Amino acid sequence: MMAVLTVVGSQAQDEPKGISLTQDEREMVSGSNGFALNLFRKARTDKDMILSPLSITYALGMLNNGAAGETQEQINKVLGFGDFGAKGINNFCQKMLKEAVSLDKLTKVMISNTIFVNQAGGYVLKPDFVSTAKDYYQAEPECRDFYDGKTLDVINQWGSDHTEGMIPQILSEDEFDPSFVSYLLNAIYFKGTWMLKFDEKETKDETFDHAGAEKSLLTLPMMHQEKQLYYMEDDNWQVLKLPYGNGAYMMTLLLPQPGKVLEKEIQNLMVENWEKYQRNREEAIVDVKLPRFESNTSIDLVEVMSALGMPKAFTPAAEFPDFCNVPTYIGLMKQVAKIKVNEEGTEAAAITIIGEKATSVPPEPKHVQFHANRPFLYIISEESTGAIFFMGQFMGNSRGSKGEGTGIQKSETKSQTTDDNILYNLSGQRLSSPPARGVYIQNGKKKIAM
């Protein structure tokens, strides 16, 4: 349990709650942290960047429940869970999901997961996979038609909603593929207030040497405070801990010793070093200067994760037999992350998205028009038997309901302009000439012969 800070000039905070771990769980955390360091080493560039290894663990761990064979073994190893396997990842993610979000009332932590499934392709997730996603990841799959023109907006809105608007877009129109089987997402949001806030009045523009040369000097707003904090150093690093809220969460700053190069020191940073720095409880009065900054990163993870040791998952040879009703592989994997650090504290968010692609992609559904603007046939039938109850056609006559074009054609009255010489008796028989006596009809009128 973390010791209580003795704060100079400020009231000490309540001792924070912690997460109790078994020996197996400690080994899982150590393995997960090893993945985090490996990931950062493989993905880093010479630019500002931020990643969330835990977000990747959630998204990939969730999908891993549909994997088998070599594919699953590679995922387990890369994520740092080795012999603990998919069940170990599930238990780790479930524990963090339940406990990490409620350690500090002054620090907001949200971990969210979801799955969008493409019902337009007839794709259906396996029942056991759905059950595990709900039980361990609180992920409720949502079936959608990916060709509806709205799914991309729904995905991006989900990401925005679960990062407090920090990440409004996870996929662009060019990246979204409506033929995919599914999209699995994890979002992590963090907002912590410094236990010992920086005074804005102490923030001054100062130089920052970003490359160790005179021409590399920048001018940045530098926050400043002098407080009693956890601090240690060795031959390679100066290590400072800045606590948030009640101390349940910390920002650990690792500054290379003068003359050391960050890139080389990161390459040499092992889990054992991190665990030593994490356990450190030495206190000192520290004069702190820290830039106020914002940073964001969007990274394609396919090559990175493949290079870390799980290449099979990204090929049609991938084994995901327990995921859905068709063979799939990872066709897209990326993360977008953002951080803001200022005098009040830190706000950070990350979204990881995995797009599962069918090994054999069905043809895109046809987009057609049905404009009934010409004569057509119609049939009314009982569905289960196909028995026809009504059958008809529409020719354009039924335009109204008040005598005009009702569909009932009135028979035309035959012209009665018959020749005056055509005669009929009362029985309707035609006569060649008027009778000598009696009644007959001529031109539609009765006449009497005397």
Side-chain angles (χ1 to χ4, degrees):
M1 190 73 71
M2 188 178 296
V4 180
L5 281 175
T6 303
V7 181
V8 176
S10 179
Q11 185 176 357
Q13 302 289 328
D14 294 335
E15 188 166 339
K17 295 185 295 182
I19 300 176
S20 178
L21 298 175
T22 65
Q23 182 57 39
D24 282 352
E25 288 169 340
R26 291 185 185 280
E27 291 182 25
M28 291 180 198
V29 171
S30 180
S32 179
N33 288 338
F35 161 63
L37 295 175
N38 290 335
L39 172 72
F40 195 84
R41 275 192 286 266
K42 184 63 66 175
R44 73 179 297 270
T45 65
D46 60 353
K47 306 295 182 183
D48 294 346
M49 67 180 300
I50 176 175
L51 291 173
S52 174
L54 184 59
S55 178
I56 294 174
T57 296
Y58 269 96
L60 197 52
M62 183 163 51
L63 175 61
N64 196 34
N65 290 292
E70 186 180 10
T71 301
Q72 190 175 69
E73 290 174 4
Q74 289 180 355
I75 294 173
N76 293 338
K77 186 175 180 180
V78 166
L79 292 182
F81 286 78
D83 295 337
F84 293 109
K87 290 184 178 179
I89 301 173
N90 291 341
N91 290 328
F92 169 78
C93 289
Q94 183 186 52
K95 187 155 192 166
M96 297 298 290
L97 187 59
K98 288 183 176 180
E99 299 189 36
V101 299
S102 58
L103 296 176
D104 183 359
K105 295 180 179 179
L106 299 177
T107 300
K108 185 173 183 178
V109 177
M110 298 192 305
I111 302 174
S112 309
N113 303 287
T114 194
I115 306 170
F116 294 99
V117 185
N118 191 359
Q119 65 182 9
Y123 303 124
V124 180
L125 301 186
K126 296 290 183 69
D128 286 348
F129 178 86
V130 173
S131 177
T132 301
K134 290 180 180 179
D135 292 344
Y136 290 90
Y137 297 85
Q138 297 180 10
E140 190 76 36
E142 178 181 338
C143 294
R144 296 191 59 85
D145 177 355
F146 285 9
Y147 293 93
D148 63 2
K150 300 177 183 178
T151 298
L152 174 59
D153 292 336
V154 170
I155 290 173
N156 285 329
Q157 188 62 52
W158 185 92
S160 179
D161 291 343
H162 290 84
T163 59
E164 299 292 305
M166 282 195 79
I167 301 177
Q169 178 177 288
I170 179 66
L171 286 182
S172 66
E173 288 188 17
D174 291 339
E175 292 171 317
F176 176 72
D177 189 337
S179 72
F180 273 26
V181 173
S182 68
Y183 287 97
L184 300 88
L185 291 95
N186 167 268
I188 296 180
Y189 175 79
F190 175 92
K191 186 172 185 179
T193 301
W194 300 123
M195 180 187 290
L196 306 170
K197 295 181 181 180
F198 290 83
D199 186 346
E200 288 189 38
K201 295 179 181 178
E202 296 296 318
T203 300
K204 310 291 183 183
D205 286 343
E206 297 191 25
T207 56
F208 181 87
D209 184 358
H210 71 94
E214 183 177 350
K215 293 183 179 180
S216 66
L217 296 181
L218 304 174
T219 300
L220 298 177
M222 199 74 72
M223 304 183 295
H224 177 250
Q225 64 172 251
E226 187 173 347
K227 296 289 173 61
Q228 186 164 323
L229 299 163
Y230 291 135
Y231 172 85
M232 70 165 292
E233 60 180 87
D234 56 22
D235 292 341
N236 302 306
W237 301 98
Q238 290 180 268
V239 183
L240 176 68
K241 292 179 177 293
L242 296 180
Y244 298 99
N246 64 7
Y249 290 94
M250 293 268 187
M251 175 179 278
T252 301
L253 302 166
L254 292 93
L255 180 67
Q257 290 285 10
K260 299 289 183 178
V261 179
L262 179 62
E263 181 176 2
K264 182 178 180 180
E265 296 309 315
I266 288 176
Q267 295 301 322
N268 295 329
L269 182 59
M270 298 291 107
V271 173
E272 293 78 13
N273 303 115
W274 165 248
E275 291 176 346
K276 178 182 69 174
Y277 301 149
Q278 190 180 33
R279 291 192 301 268
N280 171 54
R281 293 293 179 266
E282 299 174 18
E283 294 182 10
I285 303 296
V286 185
D287 187 292
V288 182
K289 288 186 178 182
L290 179 68
R292 183 177 66 208
F293 68 93
E294 293 186 19
S295 181
N296 60 79
T297 300
S298 178
I299 182 170
D300 185 337
L301 291 169
V302 173
E303 290 188 10
V304 173
M305 298 301 292
S306 182
L308 284 175
M310 48 169 286
K312 194 169 186 180
F314 301 100
T315 71
E319 303 147 293
F320 290 102
D322 301 323
F323 178 62
C324 79
N325 61 333
V326 298
T328 66
Y329 66 98
I330 299 176
L332 175 144
M333 186 173 182
K334 67 174 293 191
Q335 184 178 100
V336 176
K338 186 173 183 178
I339 187 170
K340 297 179 181 179
V341 177
N342 58 28
E343 289 84 355
E344 291 293 316
T346 302
E347 186 177 22
I351 300 177
T352 301
I353 185 167
I354 299 176
E356 278 291 287
K357 191 170 186 177
T359 301
S360 177
V361 181
E364 180 179 338
K366 293 181 180 179
H367 293 258
V368 300
Q369 291 182 332
F370 185 89
H371 294 175
N373 55 9
R374 53 195 177 276
F376 60 87
L377 178 73
Y378 60 88
I379 296 173
I380 299 174
S381 65
E382 194 278 321
E383 185 67 17
S384 63
T385 63
I388 295 175
F389 278 44
F390 300 93
M391 182 173 182
Q393 68 178 27
F394 184 83
M395 305 296 291
N397 310 106
S398 303
R399 299 186 303 278
S401 60
K402 294 184 179 180
E404 286 189 12
T406 59
I408 303 176
Q409 295 188 0
K410 296 179 180 179
S411 59
E412 294 181 6
T413 303
K414 292 184 178 180
S415 175
Q416 300 298 325
T417 57
T418 55
D419 193 300
D420 289 347
N421 294 325
I422 299 177
L423 310 172
Y424 298 89
N425 62 22
L426 293 180
S427 298
Q429 295 174 329
R430 187 169 179 172
L431 303 175
S432 59
S433 61
R437 285 180 183 273
V439 180
Y440 65 98
I441 298 173
Q442 183 180 26
N443 199 22
K445 295 181 180 179
K446 288 182 180 180
K447 291 191 177 184
I448 302 174
M450 304 294 291

